[in-house]
Every structure is written in C-alpha cells, then in structure tokens.
C-alpha cells in the first residue's frame, strides 16, 4: 500500500499486541476461541507467541517485567503493542527527539533489543524493523514448536485492522497530538455520538502507511461506557482490537463453533432498513441478520463501498474484539457506530450502571 502522506518513521503496519495476566489459563482459551494457535516459545523468557494469519499476540508471564507490573495494575490486559518501522533505531532516536519517553525493556544474552517508548496507559509501544519471514524477531528470540503451522489460518483473520484507545475526558487531544507529532498520523474521522443517557467523542487517527488505525474515545458526559471501561480497567488503555478477513460470514461461523460470545444483535428493524439506507448493496440480508452482522458504507457513485462488522462480548476484562470485512470501504462503520453505542448503553441500563435520569 502506498503511503497516504509523508511517512518519516517508515511505518508498515502493526507487528504484535502484547498481553499479560497475573494468572495462567485466563487468556489462553480466549486466544484459542479467536482462532489463534500457540506457535512458539521464547528462548529464555516466560513468554509465548500465538498467531493467526499475519496477526501476532505475545503472551508475557515474565516476572518483574513491564508486563507483570501492568497486569498487577490492570488485570488481564493488552499491555503493549508494536509498530513495524523501516529502521527501528532511527525511528526510536527520532521519537525521543520529538519528546517521546523511553521505556527500558531488559534483554538477556543473545537477545534482540526492542526499542520502546511510553504509549497509552504507560504501556510500551515497540518499534520493530525485523519482521520479514526468516529474519523476524521470532526467528531470533523464539523457538517454534515442532509440527505446528507457523502461520495458521485460524478463523480466517489476516491482519489487525485497527486498535482503539479509551482515554480520560479531556485527554483525546493529548493522544491525538502524540500520534501526530511522533508518527505523523492524521485525523480521518470524528464522531460525536449521543445516546439516550450518555455520549462519547471519537477521533479516528490513521498512520501514513494506511495500515495502522487508532480511534481515540473519550466520554462526553458522566457514567457512560468509556467511564465504566476506565474504572474497570483502572486507567486508559486498549478498548478493542479489530481483525480483518475476506469472508466474515464464514469467519463468524467458525468463531461461533468455538463458543465465541458476541454483543447483542441489533433489532430486526435494523435489517429491515438496510435497503433504504444502502440501496442496491447486494448483501444477503437474511444471512447477516441470522448472525447479527452489521453493514455500513455507501452505494452512491457506482461500485458499492461496504464494511461488514460484528463485535465480541467483553473477553479480557472490559476489552473486546471486532471482526470486519472491508469491501472497498476504509471507514469505521460510522453508520453502525451509534447502533453499537446504543447497544452497550442498553446493556448498562439493564445492569443498573446508568439510570432513568440523563447523565449531566
């Protein structure tokens, strides 16, 4: 993919998301239900690699590490992430010059040093330039398991499409400026969503390579779903991770067969109104409705540009996952954003988190 605009850090997509938990056996079944396979173990650290397509999840149990401290504070969580860059040391040097805070990641003998800066919630944001097959960080620091496919197909998800941050009220601009200043991200979408009781603001940031998308969410009032996340998570952090595939109907069926739980489906009226909202979209409405899959995009101007999406229930503490299929649409499901927001708000209402009076 050609760069959308100047790419001074040489960004080239997500490399991995790092997870941590103080207890074993919490995250592993979630990864497996998502279609991930344990493919490798670190040579010297208590760390393993799960993979599906080109998506890497690192599960870190190393004691007295950034990951272990993060898990103690936040519980089971995504405790770090990595961007692919052209030259890690050059990118790291430039980030520090632009005001990023360094994070020390201890390394053992014969291990690669992975430069990292302080990211969302204090989690490391790693800069990785070894990601070509045969010479990646995993080929050097990990041992692949015998007889295991190194790139399992799983449920058909190929890449991380985007990764969302929830931030404290008034902090959205701080993080937008962080990504713009350090990596030259640009704002491509802005949402102001109002439900019956609460509201949120969302600013979608995209990197120059077009492959790293990070929407930022903050509460617009009090007591809403972003505030609930921040309380449950004990701070700012990754709210959800979105995976992209080529056939969401098939991927959904595979996830469902593995016991995946999804957020409540929209009402039948949502599907009855699809043709009015997206005339001539050409998608099998009954197939979408039976699975609760949402459809967004536009059919104006010739070829339809569509986005299919569905969300898991919360799986890792308050963190959930999104599953999408892009058909020439590069948005975030703007038409569905309010529907999702209202769905979560209904759940909050049923659980008594919000009440009959509108939040101030």
């Amino acid at each position: 993919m050609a760069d959308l605009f100047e790419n001074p850090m040489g960004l080239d997509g997500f490399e991995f998301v790092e997870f941590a938990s103080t207890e074993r056996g919490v995250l592993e079944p979630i990864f497996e239900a998502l279609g991930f396979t344990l493919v490798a173990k670190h040579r010297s650290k208590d760390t393993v690699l799960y993979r599906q397509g080109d998506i890497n999840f690192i599960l870190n149990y190393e004691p007295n590490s950034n990951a272990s401290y993060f898990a103690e504070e936040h519980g089971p969580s995504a405790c770090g992430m990595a961007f692919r860059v052209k030259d890690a040391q050059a990118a790291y040097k430039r980030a520090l010059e632009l005001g990023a805070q360094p994070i020390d990641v201890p390394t053992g003998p014969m291990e690669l040093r992975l430069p990292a800066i302080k990211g969302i919630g204090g989690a490391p944001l790693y800069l990785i330039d070894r990601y070509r097959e045969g010479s990646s960080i995993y080929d050097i620091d990990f041992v692949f398991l015998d007889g295991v496919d190194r790139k399992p197909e799983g449920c058909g998800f190929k890449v991380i499409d985007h990764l969302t941050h929830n931030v404290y009220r008034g902090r959205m601009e701080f993080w937008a400026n962080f990504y713009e200043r350090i990596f030259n991200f640009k704002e491509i979408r802005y949402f102001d969503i109002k439900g019956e009781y609460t509201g949120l603001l969302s600013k979608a940031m995209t990197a120059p390579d077009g492959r790293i998308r990070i929407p930022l969410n903050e509460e617009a009032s009090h007591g809403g779903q972003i505030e609930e996340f921040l309380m449950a998570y004990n701070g700012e952090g990754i709210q959800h991770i979105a995976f992209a595939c080529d056939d969401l109907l098939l991927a959904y069926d595979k996830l469902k067969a593995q016991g995946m739980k999804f957020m409540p489906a929209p009402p039948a009226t949502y599907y009855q109104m699809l043709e009015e909202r997206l005339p001539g979209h050409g998608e099998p409405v009954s197939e979408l409705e039976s699975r609760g899959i949402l459809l967004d995009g536009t059919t104006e101007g010739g070829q339809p540009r569509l986005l299919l999406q569905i969300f898991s229930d919360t799986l890792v503490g308050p963190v959930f996952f999104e599953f999408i299929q892009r058909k020439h649409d590069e948005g975030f499901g703007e038409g569905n954003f309010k529907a999702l927001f209202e769905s979560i708000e209904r759940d909050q209402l049923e659980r008594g988190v919000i009440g009959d009076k509108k939040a101030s």
Side-chain angles (χ1 to χ4, degrees):
M1 177 184 288
D3 292 346
L4 302 178
F5 26 89
E6 187 181 355
N7 191 356
M9 299 288 266
L11 294 170
D12 192 24
F14 291 101
E15 175 52 33
F16 64 75
V17 179
E18 182 181 21
F19 291 82
S21 174
T22 57
E23 295 181 50
R24 295 180 187 273
V26 175
L27 295 172
E28 292 88 340
I30 295 171
F31 293 170
E32 291 165 5
L34 289 165
F36 286 81
T37 298
L38 174 63
V39 298
K41 296 183 178 181
H42 199 279
R43 294 182 185 277
S44 62
K45 291 184 170 64
D46 194 358
T47 301
V48 295
L49 170 65
Y50 280 80
R51 182 176 281 173
Q52 174 174 195
D54 200 28
I55 308 170
N56 297 302
F57 277 3
I58 290 178
L59 180 49
N60 192 341
Y61 288 115
E62 184 70 9
N64 303 317
S65 64
N66 291 315
S68 68
Y69 300 140
F70 199 91
E72 287 175 6
E73 183 175 358
H74 300 282
S77 51
C79 65
M81 62 179 178
F83 292 168
R84 293 175 174 178
V85 296
K86 183 177 180 180
D87 184 325
Q89 291 304 321
Y92 180 64
K93 181 175 181 291
R94 184 177 188 276
L96 297 186
E97 290 172 349
L98 292 171
Q101 299 178 39
I103 286 187
D104 180 47
V105 182
T107 56
M110 306 301 291
E111 287 179 19
L112 291 172
R113 179 181 177 274
L114 305 182
I117 60 175
K118 183 178 179 181
I120 185 71
L125 198 174
Y126 302 89
L127 305 171
I128 307 296
D129 57 9
R130 286 179 173 266
Y131 55 88
R132 307 298 179 190
E133 195 165 343
S135 63
S136 71
I137 58 174
Y138 317 109
D139 294 300
I140 297 168
D141 284 352
F142 286 72
V143 177
F144 283 90
L145 304 183
D146 291 336
V148 176
D149 186 355
R150 293 193 177 191
K151 211 167 200 179
E153 181 181 346
C155 292
F157 298 108
K158 297 186 173 182
V159 296
I160 294 174
D161 182 88
H162 63 271
L163 183 155
T164 299
H165 297 346
N166 278 1
V167 304
Y168 288 114
R169 290 179 72 189
R171 293 269 288 172
M172 188 166 64
E173 284 303 321
F174 173 87
W175 285 108
N177 292 337
F178 170 85
Y179 284 112
E180 184 171 356
R181 183 179 78 252
I182 306 296
F183 298 101
N184 202 32
F185 277 54
K186 302 296 183 187
E187 177 188 329
I188 59 166
R189 298 286 193 282
Y190 182 83
F191 309 105
D192 183 353
I193 305 296
K194 294 180 175 65
E196 186 177 355
Y197 298 94
T198 62
L200 69 80
L201 305 174
S202 184
K203 180 175 291 193
M205 307 296 292
T206 291
D209 65 330
R211 299 177 62 203
I212 304 176
R213 303 175 176 96
I214 300 183
L216 307 168
N217 298 330
E218 76 171 25
E219 196 69 55
S221 53
H222 290 288
Q225 55 201 250
I226 306 304
E227 189 170 295
E228 185 182 12
F229 172 95
L230 295 168
M231 292 293 289
Y233 194 74
N234 196 26
E236 299 177 322
I238 294 170
Q239 178 212 33
H240 77 264
I241 302 166
F243 307 142
C245 68
D246 292 334
D247 187 338
L248 188 55
L249 295 177
L250 179 60
Y252 172 92
D253 291 345
K254 290 182 177 180
L255 289 168
K256 190 70 174 177
Q258 294 177 173
M260 179 57 57
K261 294 182 179 179
F262 298 91
M263 285 190 183
T269 50
Y270 172 89
Y271 296 97
Q272 294 166 7
M273 296 171 65
L274 272 183
E275 190 61 35
E276 178 183 336
R277 184 161 64 90
L278 296 168
H281 59 77
E283 295 297 314
V285 175
S286 62
E287 295 289 307
L288 298 179
E289 183 173 7
S290 67
R291 295 166 174 83
I293 292 175
L294 305 173
L295 182 66
D296 197 48
T298 180
T299 56
E300 298 177 359
Q303 183 185 46
R305 298 190 299 278
L306 303 172
L307 173 71
L308 287 74
Q309 62 186 158
I310 192 168
F311 302 85
S312 80
D313 203 349
T314 52
L315 298 177
V316 182
V319 178
F320 60 93
F321 295 86
E322 178 181 357
F323 314 105
I324 69 174
Q325 178 184 354
R326 293 189 181 277
K327 294 187 173 183
H328 311 290
D329 181 272
E330 293 301 318
F332 293 88
E334 289 89 329
N336 294 324
F337 208 85
K338 184 174 175 63
L340 171 66
F341 177 88
E342 291 174 344
S343 174
I344 299 175
E345 189 180 67
R346 283 197 303 272
D347 175 67
Q348 285 188 302
L349 187 62
E350 291 173 2
R351 290 185 289 110
V353 175
I354 54 178
D356 292 331
K357 294 181 179 180
K358 291 188 177 182
S360 59

